[in-house]
Amino acid sequence: MTALALSSPVAVVGTGTMGQGIAQVALVAGHPVRLYDAAPGRAQDAADAIGARLDRLVEKERLTGADRDAARARLLPAESLAELADCALVVEAVVERLDVKQELFRELEEVVGEDCLLATNTSSLSVAAIGGALRNPGRFVGLHFFNPAPLLPLVEVVSGFATDVTSATRAYETARAWGKTPVACADTPGFIVNRIARPFYAEAFAVHEAQGADPATIDAVLRECGGFRMGAFELTDLIGQDVNESVTHSVWQAFFQDVRFTPSLAQRRLVESGRLGRKSGHGWYDYAEDAERDEPETADKQPQPAYVVAEGDLGPASELLSLIREAGIPVREEEEDHGTRLVLPSGGQLALADGQTSVEFRDVVYFDLALDYRRATRIALSASQDTSSATLAEAVGLFQGLGKAVSVIGDVPGMIVARTVARIVDLAHDAVAKGVATEEDVDTAMRLGVNYPMGPFEWSRRLGRGWAYDLLDELHVREPSGRYAPSLALYRHAYASDKREGSTS
C-alpha cells in the first residue's frame, strides 16, 4: 500500500494551531487542502494565517515564490462538511472530547467516499473509542503530530483495535511522503511519547515535593548533567501546566489509576492557583519583566582531594577515573568483586546513585548519573545529615577539580537523573513487551518527539542491562507503593542478561 497520490485532496477539520500546522504540512507536500471549522469564518482566517507563514518561508528562502503561489491556489476554506466529499484523507484536530470527535466522524462518514482514510490527531483519547462510532472503523487511524507540526518530524501512526493494516500502512507511507518520520504504535494510553515521557516530569516533581531540591536546581541538573535540552519545570511552564497535567491525568486514568503514572499534587496546586506557565506570566517560575531569574544551588569552592582510591571500575561512571587522572589527582586502584565507589582521603566514600540513601551507610556521598561525564558541566551530590563535613567537602572539591559546578541536594534515593532515566528505560521495556511499538520506533519517538539526548534502549545498552532494574528495585524497597517496582519486562531483560553472562564465564 503506497502513500496517497499528490493529486488527492486532503482535508483538515479544526483550524487551531495544530490543525493549521497539519494543513501546512500536507499543502507544502503538494496536496490540494480543504480547511473546515464549525465556527464561521475560522477556516478563512486559518487559510490567511497559513498563507502568511508561506510568505515567511519564502523570505527565509525555504520555499520559492512559485511554490508558494501554487500552494496558496491549492488551499481552500470549506463552509460545510459536504465540501470534503471528494477528499482521500480527512484529519481531525478538534477539541479533545470523545463525544465531539465521535459525532464529527459519524457526520464525515455520511459525506466522504468509502475509500477515504479518516484520521484523528488525538494525543490522549482512545483511537478505538473514537473509531467505534463508525460503521467502518477499519479505515480509521490515529495520526498524532507534534506541535509545531511543520517543524517537528515525528508522527505517531496509531492503529486502533479495528484499524485495517492497509489503512495504517497508507497513513504511515503518506506521513513519510510528507517528509515526516512516522513510527507505528498500538492504541495504548499516551501512545509512545506521552506514555514513556511521564517519569521525566513526575520524578522532577517528586524530588521537589520531597524537599530534595528546588526547581531551578533540578532543571539545571537535568540539562547540564543529564543532557536533556530543558528541565522538567521550565518545559512544563512552556507547554502549559494545565496542558501537561491534563495529559498526565488522562494517561493515569486510562491505566486505571496505575501508581506509576500518578499526577503531581504540587502541579495540581499550581494549576488551581492559575499559574499555568509562560502563557499566564507565572508557573514554576515568574516571567514578569522585572522578576529575578531563579539560579540553581551551587556549592562554594572547595580544595580538591590529594588522592582517591578506586574500588572497582565505577560501572556507568567509569569515565570519571580518566577525568580524575587528567586533572592531576592520583588514583589508587583496588580490585573489588562488586566495588563501584571511590574512597576519599577522609575515609568517606563516593558512589554512583543506586537507589539507596546516604543515611543508611557510614559517611557516603552519592553522585548522580550523567549522560557524558566529560561533557557534563554540573554534577549533583547527595548527602545525609550524618555525612561528615570533611567527606562532603572532598567530594565537592573532587568534581570542582574536574571543572564541574556542583549542586548538593537532599538525601534522595536515586537522585535526579538516575531515577528519571531508570524509570524511562523501564516504561520503554514494558511498552515493547506489550506490543506498543518496536525498540527502534520507541527510541526514534523519544528522540524526535521530546528531544531526548538518546532513546531509552540506547541508554539501556550504554548503562548495562541490569542497571535500571537494580536501581528501581532498591527504590521500591524504600518506597513500596509500587511506583518504582520494576516491570516484568525489565526483570526478564536483566535476568536473561545475567544468565547469559553466567553461562559463558
Side-chain angles (χ1 to χ4, degrees):
M1 182 64 68
T2 58
L4 294 177
L6 290 182
S7 58
S8 302
V10 172
V12 178
V13 179
T15 58
T17 300
M18 185 58 77
Q20 290 182 32
I22 296 170
Q24 181 179 328
V25 170
L27 189 66
V28 172
H31 289 272
V33 173
R34 314 276 170 75
L35 285 172
Y36 175 77
D37 197 292
R42 287 266 183 91
Q44 182 61 60
D45 291 343
D48 293 342
I50 293 171
R53 284 199 290 274
L54 295 178
D55 288 340
R56 288 195 291 273
L57 290 178
V58 173
E59 292 170 5
K60 295 177 181 179
E61 299 183 347
R62 296 177 183 172
L63 192 70
T64 68
D67 286 342
R68 174 200 57 196
D69 295 342
R72 278 182 164 172
R74 295 193 303 271
L75 180 61
L76 297 174
E79 295 184 1
S80 70
L81 289 178
E83 295 178 49
L84 312 184
D86 63 339
C87 288
L89 167 65
V90 180
V91 183
E92 164 272 314
V94 302
V95 63
E96 285 285 90
R97 278 181 48 187
L98 180 61
D99 59 334
V100 172
K101 292 179 187 290
Q102 288 179 326
E103 179 59 28
L104 169 64
F105 282 108
R106 273 193 289 262
E107 293 178 19
L108 281 168
E109 197 170 33
E110 298 300 322
V111 171
V112 300
E114 290 295 326
D115 59 347
C116 177
L117 188 63
L118 299 177
T120 175
N121 184 59
T122 185
S123 61
S124 60
L125 298 176
S126 163
V127 171
I130 301 171
L134 297 174
R135 291 192 308 273
N136 177 18
R139 61 165 162 175
F140 187 72
V141 67
L143 276 178
H144 181 216
F145 289 77
F146 288 74
N147 195 29
L151 297 180
L152 293 185
L154 184 69
V155 178
E156 292 177 319
V157 181
V158 187
S159 293
F161 186 78
T163 302
D164 291 336
V165 173
T166 53
S167 298
T169 303
R170 171 158 284 184
Y172 185 98
E173 294 300 334
T174 298
R176 185 157 63 177
W178 290 356
K180 296 301 181 181
T181 303
V183 292
C185 64
D187 184 17
T188 184
F191 309 140
I192 299 174
V193 173
N194 280 330
R195 172 179 179 151
I196 296 173
R198 293 350 291 165
F200 179 74
Y201 314 108
E203 294 312 307
F205 299 162
V207 171
H208 175 53
E209 290 174 355
Q211 303 295 299
D214 61 90
T217 300
I218 296 170
D219 277 354
V221 172
L222 287 168
R223 288 193 314 269
E224 300 170 36
C225 182
F228 292 95
R229 184 167 297 185
M230 298 180 74
F233 296 91
E234 58 186 339
L235 180 55
T236 53
D237 267 358
L238 178 63
I239 295 169
Q241 297 302 330
D242 52 339
V243 174
N244 181 260
E245 192 212 25
S246 177
V247 173
T248 299
H249 195 271
S250 175
V251 171
W252 175 61
Q253 289 284 21
F255 275 114
F256 306 106
Q257 301 187 356
D258 187 329
V259 69
R260 295 176 302 166
F261 301 100
T262 301
S264 162
L265 181 59
Q267 187 180 39
R268 175 90 291 262
R269 293 292 178 259
L270 206 65
V271 172
E272 289 173 339
S273 67
R275 294 187 170 186
L276 306 182
R278 288 181 177 272
K279 63 185 177 183
S280 69
H282 204 304
W284 295 108
Y285 300 108
D286 187 350
Y287 296 95
E289 289 186 10
D290 58 349
E292 292 186 14
R293 178 182 175 85
D294 293 345
E295 297 294 336
E297 294 289 337
T298 303
D300 293 336
K301 184 68 176 175
Q302 299 292 338
Q304 65 186 37
Y307 65 90
V308 296
V309 178
E311 295 185 349
D313 62 5
L314 299 187
S318 58
E319 187 180 22
L320 279 176
L321 297 179
S322 296
L323 297 179
I324 293 170
R325 291 189 179 96
E326 291 169 16
I329 302 172
V331 177
R332 304 173 187 172
E333 295 193 45
E334 294 185 0
E335 291 188 9
E336 292 285 337
D337 289 341
H338 302 288
T340 54
R341 60 197 171 202
L342 296 174
V343 180
L344 300 165
S346 64
Q349 298 177 5
L350 188 58
L352 175 63
D354 59 6
Q356 301 181 84
T357 56
S358 180
V359 75
E360 299 171 53
F361 306 97
R362 186 186 68 81
D363 220 15
V364 169
V365 173
Y366 279 106
F367 64 93
D368 210 347
L369 178 71
L371 174 70
D372 182 334
Y373 283 99
R374 185 173 294 276
R375 297 175 62 183
T377 57
R378 181 177 298 271
I379 294 291
L381 300 180
S382 174
S384 75
Q385 66 270 23
D386 297 330
T387 305
S388 74
S389 57
T391 295
L392 182 56
E394 287 177 340
V396 170
L398 174 65
F399 283 103
Q400 288 175 337
L402 306 184
K404 320 295 184 187
V406 176
S407 293
V408 180
I409 69 171
D411 190 14
V412 178
M415 301 192 68
I416 298 170
V417 179
R419 71 196 289 176
T420 299
V421 170
R423 288 208 60 216
I424 289 170
V425 167
D426 182 44
L427 289 186
H429 277 280
D430 184 54
V432 169
K434 291 176 178 173
V436 174
T438 65
E439 291 186 7
E440 181 181 2
D441 277 354
V442 166
D443 277 355
T444 298
M446 301 314 290
R447 285 196 313 269
L448 300 183
V450 277
N451 289 311
Y452 282 6
M454 64 175 59
F457 290 96
E458 292 177 284
W459 249 317
S460 184
R461 289 188 290 272
R462 174 185 284 198
L463 296 170
R465 295 175 63 121
W467 178 85
Y469 175 84
D470 290 342
L471 187 141
L472 291 174
D473 196 39
E474 294 288 359
L475 270 169
H476 178 54
V477 170
R478 285 150 188 81
E479 189 176 322
S481 64
R483 177 188 180 106
Y484 298 104
S487 67
L488 179 59
L490 192 65
Y491 172 77
R492 285 173 171 159
H493 180 76
Y495 179 74
S497 173
D498 289 343
K499 199 173 177 184
R500 281 194 297 273
E501 290 169 2
S503 66
T504 58
S505 59

